[in-house]
Amino acid sequence: MVALTTVAGSVAAAAGALLVAWPIAIWWEVRKLEKPKYVVTRTLKTRQTPFFGTTAEIRSYAPFLTAEVTLEGCDMNKAMGSGFRQVAGFIFGKNKAVDREGAEKVSMTSPVAMEVVHNEKIGMTAPVMSQQDGGGVYKVAFTMPSKYTKDTLPRPDNPNVKIIEVPSRTMAVLTWNGGVPREETTASKTQELRALLAAAGVKSTGSVHVWGYHPPWA
């Protein structure tokens, strides 16, 4: 009985260590992915904890390419799921290479980006659009590796996937840690960021973007 207890305890400890190590390993790999380049021009708020932190700042982003899909008439969670699958399909081989026959695998980058074009719960500052039955309007995008231009990037097989040249722009950013962003969380964080901007005397325009850098379990 004593030996059995010891073995069971060892297995439990090993399983516990694996559960802890797996998210850390994923986090480390994602951390090494290429990301859009930016320069911080102003810090509005910083709060650090032993493992995570919250930062609000204004960033100046360099131009980059995205592959994106637009989804209408659904909620935020369904839009992210459908959009992710469609754009992931493109980078994993549902495309036509430009310089040779067949498909070309495109390297994964970070973050996975969602632009909230219209959602009454979140309260966009973008131009008012016609009400969509059953939900809002969202754009889900992956940033493309910087080695590509619009001319050299593979052509998507899926007509819903569009290649977009995103110009340089200035964005107000609030970072936080958590699971898959929901409409309620996004609305709350949007209000928090707008309050910080107002307190700093900064006027914001444009739509809300939600960028996910790590899987929810990492």
Side-chain angles (χ1 to χ4, degrees):
M1 179 64 72
V2 173
L4 178 60
T5 303
T6 303
V7 172
S10 299
V11 172
L18 180 60
L19 289 174
V20 172
W22 174 248
I24 293 175
I26 295 294
W27 175 84
W28 181 253
E29 288 302 313
V30 172
R31 191 169 181 265
K32 295 187 291 184
L33 296 177
E34 183 178 0
K35 301 171 181 64
K37 295 178 174 60
Y38 66 87
V39 174
V40 176
T41 60
R42 185 174 179 180
T43 299
L44 304 175
K45 173 184 176 183
T46 300
R47 184 175 70 246
Q48 295 295 330
T49 65
F51 297 100
F52 305 113
T54 298
T55 300
E57 56 194 17
I58 298 175
R59 300 175 180 177
S60 179
Y61 278 88
F64 55 88
L65 280 177
T66 65
E68 74 172 34
V69 296
T70 300
L71 302 107
E72 302 182 6
C74 57
D75 63 26
M76 192 172 181
N77 188 45
K78 290 181 180 178
M80 178 59 82
S82 176
F84 184 95
R85 288 190 295 272
Q86 292 187 65
V87 184
F90 161 67
I91 69 169
F92 291 143
K94 292 183 178 179
N95 63 58
K96 293 180 176 62
V98 173
D99 57 354
R100 62 177 183 274
E101 292 293 328
E104 177 180 349
K105 185 175 180 180
V106 179
S107 298
M108 187 69 184
T109 62
S110 180
V112 176
M114 169 179 282
E115 178 182 356
V116 186
V117 180
H118 176 77
N119 183 306
E120 290 187 344
K121 292 182 181 178
I122 298 173
M124 298 302 95
T125 58
V128 176
M129 301 180 65
S130 59
Q131 176 64 41
Q132 301 296 319
D133 294 336
V137 181
Y138 305 89
K139 294 180 180 179
V140 178
F142 288 9
T143 305
M144 296 293 98
S146 58
K147 70 176 185 179
Y148 290 107
T149 67
K150 194 170 184 179
D151 293 330
T152 60
L153 193 67
R155 305 296 186 253
D157 291 341
N158 182 351
N160 295 332
V161 178
K162 309 297 182 183
I163 306 303
I164 306 296
E165 293 178 307
V166 180
S168 59
R169 55 186 174 174
T170 299
M171 302 182 75
V173 177
L174 177 69
T175 66
W176 78 90
N177 297 89
V180 177
R182 306 293 183 183
E183 291 177 342
E184 293 76 12
T185 304
T186 302
S188 173
K189 297 299 182 181
T190 299
Q191 292 175 359
E192 181 181 349
L193 178 56
R194 285 179 175 157
L196 289 168
L197 290 170
V202 179
K203 183 179 180 180
S204 62
T205 60
S207 53
V208 172
H209 297 246
V210 183
W211 292 13
Y213 285 85
H214 299 278
W217 59 86

